[in-house]
Amino acid sequence: MAYSAGEDNKGVFVFLQLPIVFQMAAIHELGLSVFLREISWAGAYLLIGIPTFLLLYFVGFFINLSYLRLKRSVN
């Protein structure tokens, strides 16, 4: 989707940052953005996107596990 913006470089930049914008904002607030200045988008996705996906996956897994245990104890 990012590269469908055509020749609009600002549009490409905005679309590329959307999936990891909250994590990057948190990194900036913690003062760690200095370490990410020279990193490519692919590198940012590897360092930020994949761990975030794994974290959210396991949070969902444990919520589902808790729900199933609660459901079993009610029945």
Side-chain angles (χ1 to χ4, degrees), residues 54-74:
L54 292 173
L55 174 74
L56 292 175
Y57 178 83
F58 285 112
V59 166
F61 174 79
F62 287 115
I63 288 173
N64 185 45
L65 188 64
S66 299
Y67 170 75
L68 292 175
R69 285 184 183 168
L70 180 65
K71 187 177 172 183
R72 234 181 296 147
S73 68
V74 171

Side-chain angles (χ1 to χ4, degrees), residues 17-59:
Q17 72 180 359
L18 282 177
I20 58 173
V21 72
F22 293 117
Q23 298 89 330
M24 289 179 73
I27 287 172
H28 179 71
E29 287 297 317
L30 293 172
L32 301 174
S33 60
V34 69
F35 299 114
L36 299 176
R37 289 183 195 236
E38 300 298 322
I39 197 166
S40 68
W41 282 106
Y45 275 83
L46 287 173
L47 288 174
I48 299 169
I50 291 175
T52 301
F53 171 77
L54 292 173
L55 174 74
L56 292 175
Y57 178 83
F58 285 112
V59 166

Side-chain angles (χ1 to χ4, degrees), residues 1-5 8-20 41 45:
M1 190 167 141
Y3 295 107
S4 68
D8 181 20
N9 291 332
K10 289 181 183 177
V12 170
F13 178 76
V14 169
F15 280 127
L16 280 174
Q17 72 180 359
L18 282 177
I20 58 173
W41 282 106
Y45 275 83

